[in-house]
Structure formats: structure tokens, C-alpha cells
């Protein structure tokens, strides 16, 4: 759900990544480039690790799903996210997933669950702790992460219990948008049952502790989506924290993960502190 930047000939995410590589400063390293978690071309993952030896028991593991409206995006453009969270002490995995028109609901959710299964199976290969996995995402990726952690069908399909995911940090995501599906406003949901496809429908007491971040000036995915999910999780008895960034737009929480824009808002610190607090 990020707009094209025609003047520089690259996507906004790719530009953020280029700036991240140029500015440097994040203590991290790429330890797997395009590892396969399935047989499809869009079933590959990059893995970023902190510098140095892992602590006893291993690093906590973070699986990050990028956005792009389920029609665009590539893991290589989000190295700035991998660098940022690896420098914060997370073994960070950036998977691709199927995009429209080749994939529609729920194909990309099955991809996300398969990537999570791969993270569980292979975290130890890179010094991570598979017993401390969190999911994170921005925009469409936040939706993917929310569905994977809340709707039991996806983890069960790959042989994982719901308790595999220990925490979540979700940025600028859509979680309650039946009107868009009913109006045919999202191509990637053209075959989706309306209510069944909404994360708010799966709020439950034993949901992982969840941090929801959104900008109050987000006109792409309105803040009411995060407010609605926070309300549903709270009503179910789950642990949830909602942070509203005043005057911030849709991509601002994501941009702040890149060094050049890190002072714009506290998204990196908020997410890292929350996840460390619940992963140990």
C-alpha cells in the first residue's frame, strides 16, 4: 500500500533500504539470502542476524511481513527492517508471499504460515530460539501476521500449535474492512468470505500479546482498524497495547525503521521494547 516513486525509479521501500545501506550504523548481518520455505518462486526468505555470538538459548525470532496491498513487494526491498531489528537483538526473517493476480485470499496466508513453520524449524541454524517467535508486519503484511496468529487454521495446516507465536507488533494494518470486500475494492480478496476474512472475527483470550501502532492521519488504512482490533482483543481478555501516532500517515511507522527517518516517531523502540518484554 505504498505509492510508487517514479522520480527515483524505485519503490519507496527500496529507497528506504538504499538509504539504510548508505547511512549504516545498524549492527547486523545477512545470514541467509533467498532461502526456500516452499517450492514456489515467491516462497523465499532472507534472514538477518545480530553481530556476534548468540546468547545462551539463542536470539528471539521475528518474522516480518511487508505490505504492498497484496499486489506488490519483495523481501530484498526491506533489508532496512532486517538490519534495524537484528541490531535490536532479534534474528529477523523477511519472507516473500504470493501476490495478486497469481495469489488471492487465502493463498498468501498459507505462505505466511509456511514461512513461520520454516522459522520454527530453522531458527536454531542461525542462533535463534524457536520457542520465542514473534510476528510483525506493516499494512497488508500486518493483516497477514494478524490472521496467522489469530485464525487457527493457518498454523494448524503447517503442524504448529497456536502457542508457537509468542507476541506480535502490527503497523498500520487493516483488520476490520468488510465494506471494501463487499464493494469489490480489493482484488486480492475477490474470493474471500467477508466475515471469515476479518482478523477481528478471531479475537480470543489466548491471543499472543499484541502491539498495534497506527497514525491518526493514515488515510490509506484508517486508524479505526487498529482501534477495532484493540477493542475486540480487549473484550476477549487478551493482552493488547494500542499506540496512536498523532499526525502520522500510513507509511510513517515503517519509514521510522530506516535510519534517516528514525527520529520521526518511536516505532522501532516501541516495537523492540514490547517484543523483548514478552519474548524475554
Amino acid at each position: 500500500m505504498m505509492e510508487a516513486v517514479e522520480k527515483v525509479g524505485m519503490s519507496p521501500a527500496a529507497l528506504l533500504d538504499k538509504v539504510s545501506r548508505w547511512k549504516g550504523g545498524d549492527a547486523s548481518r545477512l545470514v541467509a539470502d533467498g532461502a526456500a520455505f516452499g517450492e514456489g518462486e515467491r516462497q523465499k526468505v532472507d534472514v538477518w542476524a545480530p553481530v556476534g555470538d548468540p546468547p545462551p538459548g539463542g536470539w528471539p525470532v521475528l518474522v516480518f511481513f511487508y505490505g504492498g496491498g497484496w499486489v506488490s513487494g519483495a523481501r530484498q526491498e526491506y533489508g532496512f527492517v532486517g538490519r534495524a531489528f537484528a541490531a535490536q537483538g532479534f534474528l529477523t526473517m523477511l519472507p516473500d508471499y504470493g501476490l495478486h493476480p497469481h495469489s488471492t485470499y487465502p493463498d498468501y496466508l498459507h505462505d505466511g504460515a509456511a514461512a513461520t513453520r520454516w522459522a520454527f524449524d530453522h531458527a536454531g541454524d542461525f542462533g535463534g530460539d524457536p520457542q520465542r517467535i514473534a510476528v510483525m508486519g506493516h499494512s497488508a503484511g500486518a493483516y497477514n501476521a494478524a490472521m496467522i496468529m489469530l485464525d487457527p487454521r493457518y498454523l494448524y495446516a503447517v503442524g504448529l500449535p497456536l502457542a508457537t507465536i509468542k507476541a506480535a507488533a502490527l503497523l498500520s494494518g487493516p483488520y476490520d474492512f468488510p465494506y471494501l470486500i463487499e464493494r469489490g475494492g480489493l482484488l486480492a480478496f475477490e474470493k474471500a468470505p467477508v466475515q471469515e476474512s476479518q482478523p477481528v472475527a478471531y479475537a480470543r483470550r489466548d491471543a499472543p500479546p499484541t502491539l498495534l501502532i497506527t497514525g491518526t492521519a493514515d488515510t490509506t488504512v484508517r486508524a479505526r482498524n487498529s482501534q477495532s482490533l484493540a477493542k475486540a482483543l480487549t473484550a476477549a481478555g487478551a493482552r493488547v497495547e494500542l499506540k496512536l501516532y498523532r499526525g502520522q500517515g500510513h507509511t510513517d511507522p515503517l519509514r521510522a525503521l530506516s535510519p534517516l527517518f528514525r527520529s520521526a516517531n518511536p516505532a522501532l523502540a516501541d516495537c523492540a521494547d514490547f517484543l523483548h518484554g514478552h519474548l524475554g
Side-chain angles (χ1 to χ4, degrees):
M1 296 183 178
M2 299 179 71
E3 300 172 359
V5 181
E6 297 179 358
K7 291 184 179 180
V8 297
M10 62 178 66
S11 74
L15 180 59
L16 288 174
D17 187 54
K18 184 175 182 179
V19 170
S20 174
R21 285 185 279 112
W22 167 73
K23 192 170 179 63
D26 286 332
S28 61
R29 53 202 170 96
L30 181 65
V31 293
D33 184 357
F37 64 85
E39 297 180 356
E41 182 60 31
R42 297 283 307 177
Q43 293 180 316
K44 295 180 180 179
V45 58
D46 289 351
V47 182
W48 291 84
V51 170
D53 295 329
W59 293 298
V61 179
L62 179 62
V63 182
F64 177 87
F65 299 98
Y66 54 76
W70 304 279
V71 298
S72 66
R75 69 185 189 283
Q76 300 94 330
E77 299 177 346
Y78 288 83
F80 68 96
V81 176
R83 294 183 195 95
F85 283 98
Q88 293 292 319
F90 298 91
L91 182 69
T92 307
M93 304 196 176
L94 308 177
D96 282 323
Y97 54 90
L99 301 174
H100 188 273
H102 303 291
S103 295
T104 58
Y105 172 94
D107 298 337
Y108 38 82
L109 299 178
H110 287 295
D111 285 345
T116 304
R117 175 77 216 203
W118 190 92
F120 179 82
D121 290 339
H122 294 278
D125 299 343
F126 305 101
D129 180 359
Q131 301 304 317
R132 293 189 293 156
I133 294 178
V135 293
M136 183 177 174
H138 172 257
S139 194
Y143 168 89
N144 293 359
M147 286 294 285
I148 291 164
M149 75 174 191
L150 292 175
D151 184 342
R153 293 175 296 174
Y154 300 106
L155 289 184
Y156 285 169
V158 295
L160 290 178
L162 286 177
T164 299
I165 296 175
K166 299 299 193 295
L170 309 178
L171 310 178
S172 309
Y175 317 110
D176 186 11
F177 53 97
Y179 57 94
L180 286 178
I181 298 176
E182 291 166 346
R183 297 174 184 175
L186 292 171
L187 294 176
F189 285 81
E190 59 189 0
K191 299 178 182 179
V194 176
Q195 296 304 322
E196 181 182 306
S197 63
Q198 304 300 294
V200 292
Y202 302 97
R204 61 179 204 278
R205 181 180 181 84
D206 63 342
T210 301
L211 172 64
L212 296 165
I213 290 176
T214 189
T216 61
D218 186 344
T219 58
T220 303
V221 176
R222 303 284 180 174
R224 71 163 199 82
N225 278 270
S226 293
Q227 293 168 319
S228 179
L229 183 56
K231 181 178 179 181
L233 288 169
T234 299
R239 291 169 290 178
V240 60
E241 185 175 339
L242 173 66
K243 288 186 178 290
L244 300 173
Y245 290 173
R246 299 295 174 186
Q248 298 276 290
H250 183 61
T251 62
D252 288 329
L254 177 69
R255 294 192 330 144
L257 304 181
S258 180
L260 188 62
F261 299 101
R262 202 155 286 172
S263 62
N265 63 62
L268 179 59
D270 283 349
C271 292
D273 290 348
F274 181 88
L275 294 174
H276 277 306
H278 290 283
L279 296 175

